[in-house]
Amino acid sequence: MAKQAPHTDTPVAVIDPMPLRAQMPALANKTYFNYGGQGPLPSASLEAITAAWTTIQELGPFSGAVWPYLEQVTTSLRQRLASWFGVSSQRVALTENVTSGCVLPLWGLPWEPGDELLIGDCEHPGVVAACRELARRQGLSLATLPVQWLRRTACSGDAAALEQAVLEQLQRCLRPRTRLVVLSHLLWNTGQVMPIAAVAERLAAHPRRPWLLVDGAQSLGSLPLADAGAANGAAAADIYGCTGHKWCCGPEGLGAVVLSERLLAEAHPTLIGWRSLRNEGEAGSDFHRDGRRFEVATSCTPLMAGLTCSLRLLEAQGSAEQRLARIQHLNRQLWHGLGTLPGIQPLLTAPPPAGLVSFQLDAAQAGASGGDAARATALVKALGQRGVWIRSLDDPICLRACTHITTTEAEVELLLHCLAEILAGEASVS
């Protein structure tokens, strides 16, 4: 790929990252680009967690006075997440993480031997492994939906062209026995956004109306999800699993899943507990008819107070569209800068649509695969020794840096400077 000229656009400043950064101890004395792995927890969110623990103990952890408080905290988070997703709160189940949010309803669907699971080739191993085990137990078949190759096409920077290419690929891969399609909203490795609503519309026209499972690990907190337009995947999917500890900068151990009305009508709970029941005091009770049928038992309510606080802090920075504009401004700066560095090739042929910016070491220097895993790991370590944190990925072999609204332009330039120095040092040694 030809090296790009430096990016000189000057966007209108909408969001000042410094007040929120000041609340994030994890950003002190380091340059952090791993929001796609875990976001930093604001001090106010940690204080909300601690305050919730204190309140529970003061009320009595199993007293009559504590139940209204627990219900208020839980309901507040469920409703706030529902507004972020653009769905009713009845469609939202609170979970521990993306994997449990995806897998619990997935295993409760009415499968028939011979049904086919069509899985995108950029999906996270956790979800893929669950689908493989489901197929083994239920006598299902597996097929692959290739989307990774789109990163090197001209449509990678054109949303309309990308949507058309994805739909054409989907059409080629659909079979009469296809019963489920698994596709992330924001691909965790290439950084591309998949046209989830358009995919859902296409699946609705299939004779068997395959279920659509969406991994939203990288989209909640980075992409606007409440928009009814083509970018919205939460309302269109049958299963849309998310976590609060990445781009939402909430505590780990808490997530949510959005479930479609037809899934709630047809799927049975798999891991069952008292929270799944309409009447928790009766073992013979029916299950909840809404998303709560996929909730299980006792959860850590203080974490819910912490995530609610983090969501409020993000909302205070601007609308979802304004936050994405800030992220895109920074990822353009990084993408263009990477394009000027000898020995580095951005994974996409155009600036990424969201905050995941992946790049490879040039094939000429790192092997025919376009990247060498050991060298990528060494580069991550060398950056870490300078207080700059990114990560390496295995499929495709690449390095990934994430820009969020709390990232600064100076941090992007520092990352580019450090990369240039390390690569120059490698070249002088060789």
Side-chain angles (χ1 to χ4, degrees):
M1 186 181 75
K3 296 300 176 184
Q4 305 290 325
H7 189 56
T8 57
D9 289 353
T10 305
V12 176
V14 175
I15 294 174
D16 177 6
M18 303 315 292
L20 185 54
R21 283 181 62 91
Q23 291 201 50
M24 294 177 165
L27 298 185
N29 304 316
K30 66 181 70 66
T31 305
Y32 192 76
F33 291 97
N34 278 336
Y35 295 91
Q38 184 160 341
L41 184 70
S43 297
S45 300
L46 180 58
E47 291 166 2
I49 294 171
T50 303
W53 279 118
T54 300
T55 299
I56 290 170
Q57 295 307 309
E58 290 176 346
L59 293 173
F62 207 83
S63 68
V66 80
W67 306 123
Y69 173 73
L70 298 178
E71 180 64 23
Q72 180 271 321
V73 173
T74 303
T75 299
S76 177
L77 176 59
R78 195 191 310 275
Q79 291 177 343
R80 179 165 252 101
L81 285 170
S83 70
W84 278 52
F85 292 130
V87 301
S88 69
S89 60
Q90 286 73 30
R91 291 181 56 184
V92 177
L94 300 177
T95 64
E96 291 184 341
N97 44 53
V98 173
T99 303
S100 60
C102 290
V103 173
L104 293 183
L106 171 68
W107 282 62
L109 290 171
W111 301 104
E112 297 178 2
D115 284 348
E116 180 182 87
L117 312 182
L118 180 60
I119 305 172
D121 64 352
C122 284
E123 296 310 296
H124 192 278
V127 174
V128 175
C131 289
R132 287 185 173 277
E133 179 61 14
L134 174 66
R136 185 189 70 80
R137 296 192 188 189
Q138 300 286 346
L140 315 179
S141 62
L142 299 171
T144 299
L145 173 63
V147 293
Q148 188 180 130
W149 65 277
L150 293 169
R151 64 187 172 85
R152 282 291 172 215
T153 65
C155 71
S156 70
D158 184 330
L162 179 64
E163 176 179 314
Q164 183 62 33
V166 171
L167 293 178
E168 290 175 357
Q169 189 73 294
L170 177 65
Q171 184 63 37
R172 284 191 288 268
C173 293
L174 285 173
R175 300 289 183 265
R177 296 291 296 177
T178 303
R179 197 68 181 97
L180 174 80
V181 172
V182 181
L183 188 65
S184 292
H185 195 171
L186 174 54
L187 301 184
W188 74 300
N189 42 20
T190 71
Q192 290 181 296
V193 174
M194 294 291 100
I196 297 302
V199 168
E201 184 177 359
R202 174 62 190 86
L203 295 182
H206 187 278
R208 297 200 69 199
R209 293 190 65 205
W211 309 98
L212 177 58
L213 185 155
V214 176
D215 182 337
Q218 302 296 341
S219 50
L220 180 64
S222 62
L223 298 177
L225 300 182
D227 179 13
N232 182 25
D238 293 294
I239 302 172
Y240 193 99
C242 297
T243 185
H245 74 267
K246 296 181 184 287
W247 298 89
C248 292
C249 297
E252 61 268 37
L254 181 59
V257 58
V258 179
L259 304 165
S260 69
E261 297 291 348
R262 69 165 180 153
L263 182 139
L264 290 172
E266 298 184 36
H268 293 280
T270 48
L271 186 59
I272 297 168
W274 60 266
R275 279 174 62 191
S276 312
L277 303 174
R278 295 178 69 182
N279 186 340
E280 65 183 59
E282 296 181 7
S285 171
D286 291 336
F287 297 113
H288 283 295
R289 295 178 181 176
D290 56 21
R292 291 174 295 172
R293 71 166 52 191
F294 292 102
E295 296 177 0
V296 184
T298 305
S299 295
C300 185
T301 304
L303 296 183
M304 299 179 193
L307 179 54
T308 297
C309 181
S310 291
L311 295 178
R312 286 173 174 165
L313 290 171
L314 291 175
E315 291 167 359
Q317 300 302 304
S319 68
E321 291 74 19
Q322 289 172 325
R323 297 196 302 269
L324 178 59
R326 166 75 184 172
I327 290 171
Q328 290 174 331
H329 159 59
L330 293 159
N331 75 34
R332 284 194 298 269
Q333 178 190 355
L334 178 54
W335 183 88
H336 281 279
L338 290 170
T340 67
L341 297 181
I344 282 186
Q345 189 175 55
L347 213 59
L348 298 184
T349 59
L356 301 178
V357 185
S358 296
F359 57 97
Q360 292 179 319
L361 305 175
D362 276 347
Q365 299 184 31
S369 67
D372 176 79
R375 187 165 175 237
T377 300
L379 184 55
V380 170
K381 182 178 180 180
L383 287 169
Q385 291 171 343
R386 297 169 180 238
V388 179
W389 295 99
I390 67 172
R391 70 166 295 184
S392 61
L393 303 177
D394 294 331
D395 185 17
I397 296 173
C398 63
L399 298 115
R400 189 187 75 184
C402 304
T403 61
H404 204 348
I405 62 171
T406 47
T407 306
T408 67
E409 290 83 353
E411 286 182 314
V412 173
E413 291 304 317
L414 177 60
L415 171 58
L416 294 169
H417 174 74
C418 291
L419 283 170
E421 283 194 342
I422 293 169
L423 292 174
E426 287 184 357
S428 65
V429 171
S430 61

